[in-house]
């Protein structure tokens, strides 16, 4: 083995200690990476791979470096890809070092423990998750180091990992650590992998409940965890203790902004499991492209990052207490009535930056002066928000205002920052230019000395020009050579005796004099003193602000909630939403409901629909209709309206009354994915089993096609059995909607009293199909698959031939309990104009009737009325109805 340079032996020592990390090894102005790390960094960041010297094996050593000032561009990209990076800094000034420069790892950056602002693309929380557990009992902890939010929960999950996966999907942590007893379980890793969670290994000892409890008590300086609600919850404590240890281990410092651990139970909220969150596109769309086309995307026009985070939590954790929901709704309603106030509050909120994360960075010690100015500007908006808040009466807002009363303490921080920090400071805190004059007499004096020196230099130039007669003589400065007198070569002959040569350039020469040297030393020493003192003063201000981290976090929380409430009102007004009545019974009644996301994207305008569900007569809606008719949209709109209402938002409807739902289950065919390695049908059945085993009388079930992944007979039989099971004794009362293409199932409504048929109206116009998007009672007997295929552009020869084949099959036999002839006789219909009028009370959608209903006869002349009648008649004739 060849001999390593001292720096390289140092590097290998760190690499041994942090073997799971990429080491960013500071060398002068670069962070260098070596060996395998260099190859990874070059590949992932698309930077040049070079080689230099010799590595351990004596071969040329691969090397990839990034300039130290660009770390904010490169580091987040590596972290986002799931890598851990250990930052190894020079701990002494290389110029003053004797031998190899002293270096040390100052922090390890991981996806779940990031704190720098460059790491975050948006306002969303960035959680580290720790999982602990045994058998069917689990503890989860979620820790956002950037905001200081620290949560834990414990529950039993049988069979394992459904609830764990639900919580993981809801919180979408950036990184996860797992206790030793679960770390080896392939089922858990598989579930986490499916959800794209980065798993990292961590010291197993920290999960030990005794160690974990001690770690938590030491950090929070408490003698019991009772006040945090997790005393005795072994797995909660184990997970939280390990998460805290991991965060401290990577950050390598105390986390002074983490003031409390909150224990929550998922039974306090409506449960939305991972599948439902995905199917309903609650906060992320199915294409995995963030929040666009999701309910969060529609509802989030918040002004502050805190508001955005809180809104996401509210949507992901809808409440199940009518009084808590009504408190939110009251506040939103008050804002809807008071446009001016809402406008004012929102405009003040728009001045507020991410107080939570600013506080995190300030306490943590990696803030800069711009962060302090941002904090000052944010805090300046608070008194105005508070005084507007005081004009409001709703209980929740009054209570929030009360929480802002101790704000007087924070007002002193505004003064502190205002007196100390310049209004537009530079990014770096080490190069001076941050502190206002007048803040420190010592600083002002040194600055005076430096200024005096610079004035002397200016007058020296003038004097020397006169003395030497060289008009172009210049006194200049650069970082390496300091101050110099520059004379062009053309004037060399006029250079006086006492000039001492410093540097020869192509066209000029640079000199100094002993006097200039003396002043140079004075100026440089003053400037060095200034930057050091400015940094000290900045750190002092920073630490004074840190003492208020608790109040700052509380203020951020109040501001965030005000933001959410006023935002929900703004959205409600702009989108024409109504306040839902939220009741403890199980009736869901929606008039003119709309799908909050789809309504703004359909070109021809969205057709609103009604819903009536309860635990008795209207328990089970069996919905038929051709593909593309709007069945999925309709079912999802009902679920989304329920989620919105229980989150405290107004809803897209003209009237809504929502009987509380404790959990929404969905099974949606469209997202069958084979990536998990299970067959489509298996996935479908696993999801179905979960629904049938866990639904409670307060749940809401949405089934969008069941049994499609197997043979028609199998699928039909399973679908039928499912309807019976949900309807019958065990599950009596579970509000359910089932969209199916098995028309034969619609017979069930005759046998099962709480099952009702609905279909989405379409109209056949010759070979064409017109979607009317209206849900109406009654069943349909036709799939219109061939019509839809034609609409999709399948060649006419294929659809024509398919039609012939279909006719052949229909003439021979048909699947199910009725043959084609009987079906026709039974009065099922897919056509709005053929509705069996003897069936249940038809709420038909009839464009003609609608037009007549909407005519204002009082304002029409007899001639206009006659003309309109004529138009309607022509229209009807042209449709040959
Ligand atoms: P299905 O589940 O019956 O196949 P979808 O619910 O997927 O149909 O709806 C198909 C398309 O129809 C949607 O993408 C949407 O563009 C449109 N659509 C659905 N419902 C409505 C409605 N109520 N008003 C207007 N357009 C609608």
């Amino acid at each position: 083995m060849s001999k390593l340079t001292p720096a390289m032996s140092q590097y290998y020592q760190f690499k041994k200690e942090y073997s799971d990390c990429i080491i960013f090894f500071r060398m002068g102005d670069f962070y260098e990476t070596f060996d395998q790390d260099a190859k990874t960094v070059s590949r992932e960041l698309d930077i040049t791979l070079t080689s230099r010297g010799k590595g351990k094996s004596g071969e040329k050593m691969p090397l990839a470096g990034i300039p130290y000032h660009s770390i904010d561009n490169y580091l987040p990209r590596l972290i986002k890809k799931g890598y851990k990076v250990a930052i190894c800094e020079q701990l002494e000034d290389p110029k003053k070092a004797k031998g190899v420069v002293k270096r040390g790892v100052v922090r390890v950056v991981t996806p779940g423990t990031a704190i720098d602002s460059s790491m975050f693309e948006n306002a969303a929380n960035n959680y580290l998750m720790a999982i602990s557990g045994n058998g069917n009992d689990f503890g989860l902890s979620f820790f956002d180091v950037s905001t200081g939010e620290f949560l834990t929960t414990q529950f039993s999950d049988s069979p394992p990992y459904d609830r764990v996966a639900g919580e993981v999907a809801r919180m979408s942590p950036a990184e996860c650590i797992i206790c030793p007893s679960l770390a080896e379980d392939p089922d858990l890793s598989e579930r986490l992998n499916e959800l794209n969670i980065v798993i990292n290994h961590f010291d197993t000892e920290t999960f030990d409940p005794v160690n974990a409890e001690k770690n938590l008590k030491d950090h929070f300086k408490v003698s019991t965890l009772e006040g945090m609600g997790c005393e005795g919850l072994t797995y909660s404590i184990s997970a939280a203790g390990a998460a805290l240890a991991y965060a401290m281990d990577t950050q390598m410092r105390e986390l002074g902004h983490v003031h409390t651990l909150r224990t929550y139970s998922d039974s306090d909220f409506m449960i939305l499991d991972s599948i439902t969150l995905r199917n309903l596109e609650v906060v992320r769309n199915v294409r995995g492209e963030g929040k666009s086309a999701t309910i969060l995307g529609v509802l989030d026009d918040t002004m502050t990052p805190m508001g955005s985070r809180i809104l996401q939590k509210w949507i992901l954790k809808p409440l199940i207490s009518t009084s808590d929901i009504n408190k939110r709704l009251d506040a939103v309603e008050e804002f809807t009535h008071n446009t001016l106030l809402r406008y004012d509050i929102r405009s003040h909120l728009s001045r507020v930056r991410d107080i939570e994360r600013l506080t995190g960075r300030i306490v943590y010690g990696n803030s800069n002066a711009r962060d302090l100015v941002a904090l000052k500007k944010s805090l300046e908006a608070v008194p105005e928000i508070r005084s507007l808040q005081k004009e409001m009466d709703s209980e929740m807002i009054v209570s929030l205002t009360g929480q802002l009363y101790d704000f007087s303490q924070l007002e002193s921080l505004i003064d502190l920052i205002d007196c100390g920090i310049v209004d537009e400071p530079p990014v770096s805190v080490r190069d001076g230019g941050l502190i206002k004059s007048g803040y420190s007499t010592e600083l002002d004096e040194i600055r005076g000395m430096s200024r005096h020196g610079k004035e002397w230099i200016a007058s020296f130039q003038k004097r020397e020009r006169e003395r030497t007669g060289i008009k172009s003589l210049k006194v200049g400065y650069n970082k390496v050579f300091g101050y110099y007198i520059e004379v062009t070569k053309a004037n060399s002959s006029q250079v006086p005796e006492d000039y001492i040569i410093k540097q020869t350039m192509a066209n000029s020469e640079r000199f100094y004099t002993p006097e200039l040297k003396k002043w140079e030393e004075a100026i440089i020493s003053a400037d060095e003193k200034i930057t050091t003192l400015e940094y000290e003063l900045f750190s002092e201000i920073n630490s004074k602000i840190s003492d208020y981290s608790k109040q700052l976090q509380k203020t951020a929380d109040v501001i965030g909630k005000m933001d959410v409430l006023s935002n929900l009102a703004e959205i409600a007004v702009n989108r024409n939403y109504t306040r839902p009545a939220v009741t403890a019974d199980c009736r869901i009644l929606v008039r003119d409901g709309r799908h909050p996301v789809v309504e703004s994207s359909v070109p021809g305008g969205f057709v609103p629909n009604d819903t009536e569900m309860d635990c008795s007569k209207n328990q089970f809606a069996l919905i038929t209709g051709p593909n593309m008719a709007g069945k999925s949209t309709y079912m999802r709109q009902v679920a989304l309206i329920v989620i919105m209402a229980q989150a405290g938002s107004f809803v897209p409807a003209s009237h809504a009354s929502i009987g509380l739902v404790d959990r929404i289950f969905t099974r949606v065919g469209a997202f069958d994915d084979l990536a998990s390695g299970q067959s489509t049908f298996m996935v479908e059945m696993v999801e179905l089993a979960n629904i049938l085993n866990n639904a409670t009388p307060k749940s809401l079930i949405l089934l969008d096609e069941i049994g499609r992944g197997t043979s028609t007979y199998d699928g039909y039989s399973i679908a039928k059995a499912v309807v019976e099971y949900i309807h019958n004794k065990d599950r009596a009362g579970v509000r359910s909607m089932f969209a199916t293409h098995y028309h034969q199932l619609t017979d069930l409504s005759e046998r099962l009293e709480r099952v009702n048929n609905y279909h989405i109206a379409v109209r056949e116009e010759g070979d064409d199909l017109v979607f009317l998007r209206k849900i109406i009672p009654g069943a349909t007997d036709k799939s219109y698959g061939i019509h839809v295929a034609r609409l999709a552009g399948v060649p006419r020869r294929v659809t024509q031939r398919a039609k012939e084949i279909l006719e052949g099959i229909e003439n021979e036999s048909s699947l199910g309990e009725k043959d084609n002839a009987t079906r026709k006789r039974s009065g099922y219909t897919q056509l709005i104009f053929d509705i069996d009028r003897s069936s249940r009370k038809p709420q038909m959608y009839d464009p003609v009737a609608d037009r007549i209903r909407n005519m204002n006869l009082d304002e029409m002349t007899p001639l206009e009325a006659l003309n309109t009648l004529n138009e309607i008649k022509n229209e009807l004739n042209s449709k040959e109805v």
Side-chain angles (χ1 to χ4, degrees):
M1 204 174 92
S2 68
K3 197 160 165 10
L4 294 170
T5 61
M8 285 320 289
S9 3
Q10 210 182 26
Y11 165 77
Y12 279 114
Q13 244 167 29
F14 289 122
K15 187 67 201 170
K16 203 163 132 198
E17 205 178 326
Y18 295 92
S19 55
D20 58 342
C21 300
I22 291 175
I23 310 266
F24 271 26
F25 194 72
R26 181 72 181 262
M27 295 183 109
D29 284 348
F30 278 80
Y31 287 106
E32 299 289 7
T33 57
F34 303 105
D35 253 358
Q36 199 49 46
D37 284 359
K39 290 184 187 162
T40 311
V41 164
S42 143
R43 186 183 64 241
E44 298 286 9
L45 301 181
D46 200 15
I47 54 177
T48 321
L49 186 68
T50 56
S51 61
R52 173 198 304 173
K54 291 200 171 129
K56 267 185 172 169
S57 57
E59 300 286 301
K60 278 224 170 247
M61 164 86 89
L63 176 108
I66 59 167
Y68 83 98
H69 53 78
S70 313
I71 187 169
D72 283 354
N73 296 339
Y74 290 109
L75 188 57
R77 279 160 58 198
L78 276 182
I79 303 301
K80 235 166 264 152
K81 289 175 188 243
Y83 293 101
K84 280 168 89 169
V85 176
I87 312 280
C88 182
E89 289 289 0
Q90 295 172 165
L91 300 179
E92 60 184 344
D93 186 343
K95 280 187 231 141
K96 294 179 188 150
K98 294 194 185 80
V100 65
V101 182
K102 208 167 139 210
R103 292 186 173 86
V105 170
V106 293
R107 68 195 166 116
V108 174
V109 186
T110 78
T113 58
I115 188 154
D116 307 73
S117 53
S118 58
M119 294 288 172
F120 310 114
E121 272 167 15
N122 54 35
N125 275 108
N126 191 67
Y127 291 115
L128 162 71
M129 174 176 75
I131 306 185
S132 181
N134 205 353
N136 289 332
D137 292 320
F138 299 96
L140 302 188
S141 176
F142 295 94
F143 187 8
D144 185 339
V145 183
S146 69
T147 64
E149 186 184 12
F150 192 13
L151 308 167
T152 185
T153 185
Q154 180 167 325
F155 49 78
S156 46
D157 189 1
S158 163
Y161 305 136
D162 277 353
R163 281 179 84 175
V164 169
E167 228 17 48
V168 173
R170 179 144 66 175
M171 306 295 280
S172 56
E175 180 182 1
C176 167
I177 52 171
I178 309 178
C179 75
S181 60
L182 300 177
E184 303 303 320
D185 185 346
D187 286 350
L188 177 60
S189 336
E190 197 179 305
R191 294 297 281 268
L192 295 172
N193 287 337
E194 273 170 26
L195 294 161
N196 287 326
I197 307 295
V198 174
I199 303 173
N200 271 317
H201 295 285
F202 185 52
D203 181 7
T204 51
E205 296 283 295
T206 57
F207 280 97
D208 177 87
V210 177
N211 293 342
E213 183 161 349
K214 179 167 182 319
N215 191 12
L216 291 168
K217 284 179 178 168
D218 287 352
H219 174 83
F220 292 115
K221 300 188 179 56
V222 291
S223 57
T224 159
L225 296 177
E226 217 169 322
M228 301 182 186
C230 56
E231 182 80 9
L233 299 179
T234 313
Y235 300 116
S236 254
I237 293 172
S238 151
L244 181 65
Y246 185 73
M248 297 211 304
D249 218 55
T250 51
Q251 307 306 303
M252 302 184 173
R253 63 192 84 185
E254 289 293 312
L255 301 170
H257 64 304
V258 183
H259 294 292
T260 190
L261 169 67
R262 213 157 44 77
T263 307
Y264 71 94
S265 154
D266 65 0
S267 58
D268 298 340
F269 309 102
M270 178 199 289
I271 299 178
L272 297 167
D273 56 44
S274 56
I275 296 162
T276 299
L277 287 175
R278 185 185 58 170
N279 288 343
L280 295 178
E281 300 185 281
V282 176
V283 293
R284 245 177 305 282
N285 59 42
V286 282
R287 298 178 304 284
E289 291 162 6
K291 67 178 185 183
S292 74
T294 67
I295 176 168
L296 177 65
V298 168
L299 292 184
D300 190 359
D301 189 21
T302 50
M303 295 294 182
T304 69
M306 290 81 74
S308 178
R309 286 194 288 273
I310 293 174
L311 176 66
Q312 175 154 347
K313 281 174 204 153
W314 285 15
I315 296 172
L316 285 171
K317 294 186 171 182
L319 301 174
I320 47 171
S321 139
T322 48
S323 76
D324 289 346
I325 297 169
N326 278 319
K327 273 184 205 157
R328 287 186 187 172
L329 288 170
D330 286 344
V332 174
E333 182 168 1
E334 191 175 8
F335 267 124
T336 61
H337 292 323
N338 207 330
T339 311
L340 214 58
L341 193 78
R342 185 175 78 242
Y343 178 83
D344 283 351
I345 287 202
R346 278 169 63 79
S347 83
H348 289 304
L349 284 168
S350 69
R351 293 156 50 202
V352 178
R353 300 267 305 280
D354 199 336
I355 299 181
E356 263 179 328
R357 281 191 174 146
L358 288 170
T359 307
R361 290 207 290 278
I362 289 168
V363 176
Y364 190 82
N366 72 343
S367 54
N368 63 16
R370 290 189 179 175
D371 289 333
L372 302 198
V373 173
L375 181 68
K376 177 185 78 173
K377 290 190 173 152
S378 306
L379 293 178
E380 277 169 352
V382 177
E384 327 225 18
I385 295 171
R386 184 182 47 177
S387 74
L388 290 167
Q389 258 176 265
K390 279 201 212 144
E391 293 174 28
M392 303 184 73
D393 305 321
S394 52
E395 191 182 334
M396 185 165 175
I397 296 181
V398 171
S399 139
L400 288 174
T401 314
Q403 292 171 42
L404 274 182
Y405 267 120
D406 53 13
F407 183 75
S408 52
Q409 297 170 355
L410 296 185
E411 267 160 357
S412 63
L413 294 187
I414 301 179
D415 292 342
L416 176 68
I417 301 171
D418 196 45
C419 295
I421 306 288
V422 298
D423 294 341
E424 285 179 15
V427 177
S428 165
V429 290
R430 301 260 179 196
D431 301 331
L434 328 167
I435 305 292
K436 268 190 188 161
S437 57
Y439 179 71
S440 148
T441 22
E442 190 188 350
L443 179 64
D444 290 349
E445 274 169 20
I446 312 174
R447 276 182 176 159
M449 275 149 61
S450 162
R451 212 172 21 250
H452 181 56
K454 283 169 190 158
E455 280 161 14
W456 182 88
I457 299 271
S459 65
F460 176 68
Q461 175 174 298
K462 200 166 155 239
R463 240 180 21 238
E464 290 300 296
R465 278 185 187 171
E466 283 164 13
R467 179 164 81 98
T468 60
I470 309 172
K471 285 211 179 85
S472 60
L473 179 146
K474 238 176 32 197
V475 178
Y477 171 81
N478 78 29
K479 264 193 175 164
V480 183
F481 293 101
Y483 286 95
Y484 53 82
I485 308 161
E486 191 170 83
V487 179
T488 55
K489 286 200 170 147
N491 294 311
S492 290
S493 58
Q494 282 166 268
V495 169
E497 291 279 300
D498 57 338
Y499 278 18
I500 305 164
I501 184 87
K502 202 169 194 177
Q503 210 187 350
T504 306
M505 316 287 289
N507 299 319
S508 62
E509 284 175 312
R510 290 176 174 176
F511 305 91
Y512 69 96
T513 66
E515 199 185 13
L516 178 63
K517 179 105 192 129
K518 202 181 87 208
W519 279 99
E520 175 190 270
E521 276 162 14
I523 295 168
I524 289 175
S525 118
D527 284 351
E528 268 172 15
K529 274 192 201 142
I530 290 170
T531 47
T532 315
L533 183 57
E534 285 206 45
Y535 180 69
E536 277 168 18
L537 293 169
F538 164 78
S539 304
E540 217 174 85
I541 298 176
N542 215 52
S543 102
K544 277 187 194 153
I545 302 172
S546 300
D547 295 342
Y548 291 92
S549 62
K550 223 174 185 167
Q551 289 91 325
L552 287 168
Q553 283 169 347
K554 199 164 157 196
T555 306
D557 186 57
V558 173
I559 295 290
K561 284 179 180 148
M562 287 303 290
D563 189 14
V564 175
L565 295 167
S566 52
N567 162 77
L568 286 175
E570 181 76 16
I571 300 281
V573 171
N574 292 344
R575 293 187 162 252
N576 197 17
Y577 291 174
T578 355
R579 176 175 179 158
V582 181
T583 62
D585 62 27
C586 64
R587 188 150 187 246
I588 297 178
L589 194 68
V590 178
R591 288 273 167 265
D592 304 318
R594 284 125 49 203
H595 188 297
V597 178
V598 178
E599 75 162 324
S600 46
S601 64
V602 282
F606 192 87
V607 179
N609 272 308
D610 298 346
T611 306
E612 183 167 3
M613 302 196 80
D614 51 43
C615 302
S616 50
K617 272 192 347 224
N618 300 300
Q619 180 209 335
F620 204 114
L622 203 60
I623 305 169
T624 40
N627 273 328
M628 286 299 289
K631 303 182 295 298
S632 313
T633 308
Y634 174 70
M635 293 203 301
R636 282 163 208 219
Q637 113 188 1
V638 175
L640 293 178
I641 287 175
V642 169
I643 293 174
M644 287 167 80
Q646 291 186 217
S649 167
F650 280 26
V651 297
S654 64
H655 167 88
S657 174
I658 307 296
L660 284 179
V661 169
D662 67 351
R663 182 163 182 176
I664 297 180
F665 291 94
T666 56
R667 159 65 216 158
V668 172
F671 297 116
D672 292 341
D673 79 291
L674 300 173
S676 66
Q678 286 178 316
S679 75
T680 312
F681 183 63
M682 187 64 186
V683 171
E684 184 178 340
M685 290 303 112
V686 168
E687 290 182 13
L688 182 64
N690 169 41
I691 298 176
L692 299 181
N693 291 326
N694 293 311
T696 79
K698 285 207 148 288
S699 303
L700 173 65
I701 301 178
L702 305 186
L703 303 170
D704 197 350
E705 307 286 14
I706 284 284
R708 271 204 150 168
T710 183
S711 79
T712 315
Y713 286 102
D714 261 5
Y716 167 70
S717 316
I718 292 171
K720 186 169 175 183
V722 166
V723 181
E724 289 175 353
Y725 182 80
I726 295 178
H727 177 271
N728 287 342
K729 213 165 89 255
D730 298 22
R731 299 286 150 186
V734 190
R735 291 157 289 182
S736 311
M737 291 186 158
F738 184 2
T740 179
H741 64 295
Y742 293 120
H743 320 121
Q744 298 79 3
L745 285 179
T746 54
D747 278 0
L748 283 172
S749 69
E750 285 160 25
R751 274 198 298 117
L752 306 176
E753 56 173 355
R754 294 185 298 278
V755 171
N756 300 309
N757 291 326
Y758 292 89
H759 70 281
I760 310 236
V762 291
R763 188 175 62 217
E764 264 181 291
E765 288 185 358
D767 274 352
D768 289 333
L769 200 60
V770 177
F771 295 114
L772 301 173
R773 314 287 186 208
K774 205 71 188 169
I775 183 135
I776 47 183
T780 173
D781 70 340
K782 236 173 136 178
S783 304
Y784 291 100
I786 297 171
H787 291 75
V788 175
R790 195 158 44 237
L791 278 179
V794 173
R796 208 166 181 84
R797 270 175 61 193
V798 174
T799 52
Q800 201 55 45
R801 174 69 189 129
K803 205 171 156 193
E804 287 163 23
I805 297 172
L806 178 68
E807 276 163 11
I809 294 171
E810 279 184 345
N811 288 338
E812 279 167 28
S813 67
S814 78
L815 157 84
E817 291 143 15
K818 290 170 188 281
D819 66 20
N820 201 32
T822 348
R823 235 170 38 215
K824 277 196 175 128
R825 276 198 310 278
S826 74
Y828 290 153
T829 178
Q830 71 288 356
L831 290 181
I832 187 163
F833 300 108
D834 293 350
I835 287 170
D836 174 4
R837 280 154 215 281
S838 66
S839 71
R840 61 189 60 253
K841 197 173 111 229
Q843 291 180 347
M844 282 193 306
Y845 175 70
D846 184 336
V848 173
D850 233 336
R851 191 161 168 199
I852 297 174
R853 232 177 262 127
N854 290 331
M855 276 165 45
N856 189 347
L857 293 179
D858 293 341
E859 288 184 5
M860 278 178 136
T861 63
L863 187 63
E864 277 169 350
L866 208 59
N867 282 337
T868 310
L869 188 60
N870 197 34
E871 273 170 29
I872 291 172
K873 191 175 162 211
N874 288 341
E875 201 176 303
L876 288 175
N877 285 342
S878 75
K879 285 184 181 143
E880 298 169 343
V881 175

